[in-house]
Amino acid sequence: MRRFIKTLAGIAVAAVATTLAMTTALVPRASAASLTQVSNFGANPGNMQMYVYVPGSAAAHPAILVAMHGCNGWAPGFYQGTEFASLADRYGFIVIYPQASHSINGMSSCFDVWSDAALHHGGGSDPVSIVNMVTYAEQHYGGDPQRVFATGFSSGAMETNNLLAVNPDVFKAGAPFSGIPYGCMAGGGLCGDKTPQQWGDMVRNAYPGYTGPRPRVQAWHGTSDSVLPYSMLQEEVDEWTNVVGLSQTPTSTDTPQSGWTRRRFADSSGNVDVEAYTIAGAGHDLPHPGMAAYAIHFFGLDGSGGGSGGGGGTGGSSACRVTATVSSWSGGMTENITIADTGTSAINGWSLAFTLPTGQTITSGWNATYSGNSGQITAKNLSYNATLAPGASTSVGFQADQSGNAAAPSAFTLNGTACTVD
């Protein structure tokens, strides 16, 4: 990566175009809840504004998601133009939308990821303001401090990585869309080539002496991004895999949807700590519709568990096996799925996640409740099949329309643990 980018001035035009595209591409939601501005949320060294969305279906102790706009963007626009609030309606978590106030290189409303204050734990600037917003949500809405997550686009993606590095004690996972690694703009400069060890050392130096768990990361980038180069995705991978002690070689690679390539980096127990999504042909305009749901799934906010540190899980499984059997006909199919506990402890409550091949759409199901009907699916237990003793199994299934591909999913995870597939 000899040439990071000729100039950052293009971000201004791209950010405005992206904001307009995002606010018009999605169908407005119908909800009794609304976006609310909070004036006094505590110390505010970043001179930020706080907006919060609390769905009418909020859980008793809801998870908290911080969702951040790009440069020249605004918090209400990011609320209106992305799917995080509609997913909050569905799954009961709270969304905080911070409004940034900094300017750099002719751009306004940027999140600070370059000052010394922003780059160190407790140093001040935007991270302290955002953490105080989280604390406010915990105190006033009963938010769960063990389930706090971050996501954002462009400048907001940069701040996502920044928050994960500076406050790993607060944030459990993050999903940056079209971002750059933590520390990339230190001092207001531009990224240079660094080894995974160098990137990792930068993160570790953000909070010297911290020995607790590190956040999980799901990074996204388009191959045709003309503002922040696609090469930044690999730099993010290098940084976070080094931080959590993983190889830079993925443990699995798949195609969740046409044009998407997902690389997963799992530990020895199969917990996915880092994911990287390459979106073929996409520019500086993520997330596209449907992508937010993948981030929510990675966090475990849809009840899937989300892997290590994801929060929101409904039980544990040390090992599992899945057998999927398909019967198909022209335009349709049924699929029966047998889930077996091959571990040594009982599973008390389960959530099975898988991705349907392109062209399949679930029309009905049995022996489970299903979230989603195409793409990424989560099947959750009913009351009578919630417990699986060691060696025991249960069967679920669904009927679906299909447009020529009646194949079964190639991978399944149970409560965040990858299963053996027969």
Side-chain angles (χ1 to χ4, degrees):
M1 185 186 60
R2 299 287 180 186
R3 180 170 59 90
F4 174 59
I5 195 167
K6 291 182 179 179
T7 174
L8 288 178
I11 297 180
V13 175
V16 171
T18 299
T19 299
L20 291 174
M22 293 169 75
T23 55
T24 57
L26 302 179
V27 177
R29 294 182 333 279
S31 172
S34 61
L35 189 68
T36 301
Q37 184 172 3
V38 176
S39 299
N40 299 305
F41 54 84
N44 185 17
N47 191 31
M48 308 182 77
Q49 298 176 48
M50 175 184 177
Y51 294 85
V52 64
Y53 182 76
V54 182
S57 60
H61 298 289
I64 300 169
L65 175 65
V66 177
M68 294 168 283
H69 60 78
C71 281
N72 291 346
W74 60 313
F78 202 63
Y79 155 77
Q80 195 71 12
T82 58
E83 297 171 304
F84 297 111
S86 61
L87 290 165
D89 287 334
R90 183 172 184 178
Y91 297 116
F93 57 89
I94 292 170
V95 190
I96 295 171
Y97 297 90
Q99 175 66 52
S101 65
H102 301 279
S103 298
I104 187 172
N105 295 335
M107 297 170 293
S108 62
S109 302
C110 298
F111 289 92
D112 181 5
V113 295
W114 56 83
S115 75
D116 186 70
L119 293 169
H120 293 92
H121 178 77
S125 196
D126 291 1
V128 169
S129 294
I130 293 170
V131 168
N132 286 335
M133 294 179 193
V134 170
T135 301
Y136 181 94
E138 293 168 357
Q139 294 174 346
H140 290 78
Y141 308 117
D144 184 351
Q146 299 305 312
R147 295 191 296 151
V148 180
F149 308 91
T151 190
F153 160 70
S154 192
S155 178
M158 300 178 193
E159 192 63 60
T160 295
N161 282 321
N162 200 74
L163 290 170
L164 301 186
V166 172
N167 287 104
D169 54 334
V170 174
F171 293 91
K172 306 305 177 184
F177 289 87
S178 307
I180 60 177
Y182 162 80
C184 192
M185 290 182 65
L190 299 178
C191 289
D193 287 316
K194 291 181 176 64
T195 66
Q197 183 68 39
Q198 289 172 325
W199 283 123
D201 286 344
M202 292 184 73
V203 172
R204 286 180 283 270
N205 290 334
Y207 191 172
Y210 178 77
T211 59
R214 292 288 179 175
R216 300 166 62 241
V217 180
Q218 181 192 74
W220 299 70
H221 221 107
T223 60
S224 298
D225 192 328
S226 60
V227 177
L228 296 174
Y230 168 63
S231 60
M232 290 294 97
L233 180 63
Q234 185 58 47
E235 302 301 313
E236 291 174 283
V237 167
D238 288 350
E239 183 167 74
W240 291 111
T241 52
N242 181 267
V243 168
V244 298
L246 297 176
S247 166
Q248 283 73 59
T249 301
T251 51
S252 67
T253 301
D254 63 356
T255 306
Q257 293 195 26
S258 177
W260 298 13
T261 299
R262 175 174 59 185
R263 290 175 290 155
R264 311 182 93 179
F265 303 81
D267 62 20
S268 58
S269 299
N271 296 310
V272 178
D273 294 318
V274 178
E275 284 188 343
Y277 282 76
T278 294
I279 310 302
H284 197 65
D285 58 356
L286 304 183
H288 295 170
M291 292 180 178
Y294 278 75
I296 295 309
H297 179 76
F298 182 75
F299 297 155
L301 297 183
D302 60 357
S304 64
S308 65
T314 55
S317 175
S318 56
C320 50
R321 184 180 68 251
V322 168
T323 304
T325 304
V326 173
S327 297
S328 64
W329 58 92
S330 178
M333 59 180 285
T334 59
E335 183 168 328
N336 287 285
I337 302 171
T338 300
I339 308 163
D341 179 0
T342 57
T344 58
S345 59
I347 300 170
N348 296 307
W350 51 262
S351 179
L352 184 72
F354 54 93
T355 301
L356 290 179
T358 301
Q360 294 183 13
T361 303
I362 293 176
T363 56
S364 62
W366 53 88
N367 294 344
T369 58
Y370 292 85
S371 297
N373 59 10
S374 62
Q376 193 148 358
I377 306 296
T378 300
K380 297 182 67 175
N381 64 270
L382 300 179
S383 59
Y384 59 81
N385 61 1
T387 299
L388 291 177
S393 64
T394 189
S395 293
V396 303
F398 59 84
Q399 182 168 319
D401 295 332
Q402 53 90 6
S403 58
N405 183 358
S410 59
F412 297 83
T413 59
L414 190 69
N415 293 350
T417 296
C419 298
T420 299
V421 180
D422 291 340

